[in-house]
Amino acid sequence: NVAMLLLRFLPVRSIWQAPAMKSGVERILWACYLALVANAVARTIVVINLLPVERMEELTRSGLWLLMLAVNMVIGLAFILSLLASALREILQALRSERDHDALTSLLNRRSFFESAQMRLRSARSPGWALLVCDVDHFKRVNDAWGHAAGDEVLQIVGQTLQQQVRQDDLVARFGGEEFVVLLRCADMSVAAGIAERMRGQLAKTHCAAIAGAVTASFGVAGVGSSEDLPRALQRADALLYLAKNAGRNRVAWDASPGVVAV
């Protein structure tokens, strides 16, 4: 009993020093474990203090001993069930993360972006949103000249740079290939265009060892009025992106005012 008690005490310090547990399953899991420790303490005290060694066989046949075994079984079963629930929850979270994120850049994928964007756009607290579409310039040349491994490194650099330039509530996604999309909580298109320009400038001065140079990208920026407007806003931003590319690449095109495009 003393040996079992000492073994169960081993993780207690880690439990107390662990960060706050946000999941109810985790709290139940550790509560059950601490109950197992408390039960081991009680059983050890009973064995040591209530009966001398020569009468130990009487204790193991008593109702008290059977009660302690039953309590230990119930707590242990609760611990096992909560442990299985916690493990299942972690597996589901890992599967959901793999489903929702791009494997190369760890950004949201296209499907997850639309789900998250729809939720944000339906929020009544949101004053306005802007959609940024980013496309790496001459990406096919990168793959042809330096190989696909270099192309992957370029995409990772672009994804990291875009993610570093936005706030926590904004969304950054890789739509596929060399195309990225950003949803900004910003009602002023000139401000959104300034953020896109900052992203473009940061990319242009970021050295990529795989291609022995910097990465450039073009941007299209359009406003988003509502969740229903998201597909049309994506089309407008995509059209503006191609205007930026046709104007020489490595630049930002945006809706300056109704009927006016700034490049």
Side-chain angles (χ1 to χ4, degrees):
N1 280 280
V2 171
M4 184 62 68
L5 173 62
L6 294 176
L7 284 174
R8 288 181 175 175
F9 254 117
L10 290 177
V12 171
R13 181 180 178 184
S14 299
I15 294 174
W16 288 116
Q17 292 180 345
M21 301 172 192
K22 298 180 180 178
S23 168
V25 175
E26 289 182 352
R27 287 193 289 268
I28 294 173
L29 173 64
W30 293 121
C32 290
Y33 189 81
L34 294 176
L36 281 175
V37 174
N39 183 66
V41 171
R43 188 167 62 178
T44 304
I45 292 174
V46 168
V47 171
I48 292 175
N49 294 318
L50 294 188
L51 287 175
V53 175
E54 58 271 13
R55 298 180 60 189
M56 193 64 65
E57 290 184 2
E58 297 179 16
L59 175 63
T60 59
R61 292 193 296 268
S62 68
L64 176 62
W65 186 255
L66 293 177
L67 177 61
M68 287 192 296
L69 289 177
V71 170
N72 187 68
M73 184 184 301
V74 170
I75 298 175
L77 182 60
F79 174 73
I80 291 172
L81 291 176
S82 59
L83 182 62
L84 290 174
S86 180
L88 180 61
R89 177 176 174 272
E90 289 183 3
I91 292 172
L92 291 176
Q93 285 179 335
L95 291 174
R96 181 174 296 176
S97 179
E98 290 180 6
R99 182 198 67 177
D100 292 345
H101 293 81
D102 174 60
L104 179 64
T105 62
S106 297
L107 299 176
L108 296 176
N109 56 31
R110 187 187 188 98
R111 186 198 57 77
S112 181
F113 173 83
F114 275 109
E115 288 183 358
S116 301
Q118 293 286 355
M119 291 177 59
R120 280 165 168 74
L121 290 169
R122 291 192 187 104
S123 173
R125 297 176 300 173
S126 307
W129 296 85
L131 196 66
L132 281 62
V133 176
C134 166
D135 192 87
V136 181
D137 295 331
H138 303 297
F139 185 70
K140 187 177 183 303
R141 294 184 189 176
V142 172
N143 283 332
D144 292 343
W146 303 94
H148 289 281
D152 289 346
E153 186 172 334
V154 167
L155 294 176
Q156 289 173 337
I157 289 175
V158 173
Q160 291 170 4
T161 302
L162 297 182
Q163 189 69 66
Q164 291 168 356
Q165 299 295 321
V166 300
R167 296 159 299 191
Q168 187 174 0
D169 290 341
D170 301 327
L171 297 177
V172 182
R174 181 188 175 200
F175 264 37
E178 67 273 25
E179 186 177 19
F180 297 81
V181 176
V182 182
L183 183 68
L184 294 174
R185 185 162 47 84
C186 178
D188 190 332
M189 287 302 100
S190 63
V191 174
I195 295 174
E197 179 63 28
R198 187 177 67 202
M199 293 175 176
R200 185 206 61 77
Q202 184 62 40
L203 283 172
K205 65 182 181 182
T206 299
H207 180 78
C208 179
I211 62 173
V215 180
T216 65
S218 302
F219 289 80
V221 182
V224 186
S226 63
S227 59
E228 293 77 14
D229 186 45
L230 182 59
R232 292 188 296 272
L234 186 59
Q235 291 177 354
R236 293 196 303 272
D238 215 35
L240 290 165
L241 166 68
Y242 282 98
L243 285 177
K245 283 185 170 294
N246 292 332
R249 291 184 169 84
N250 192 24
R251 61 192 65 214
V252 177
W254 57 286
D255 285 327
S257 61
V260 179
V261 174
V263 179

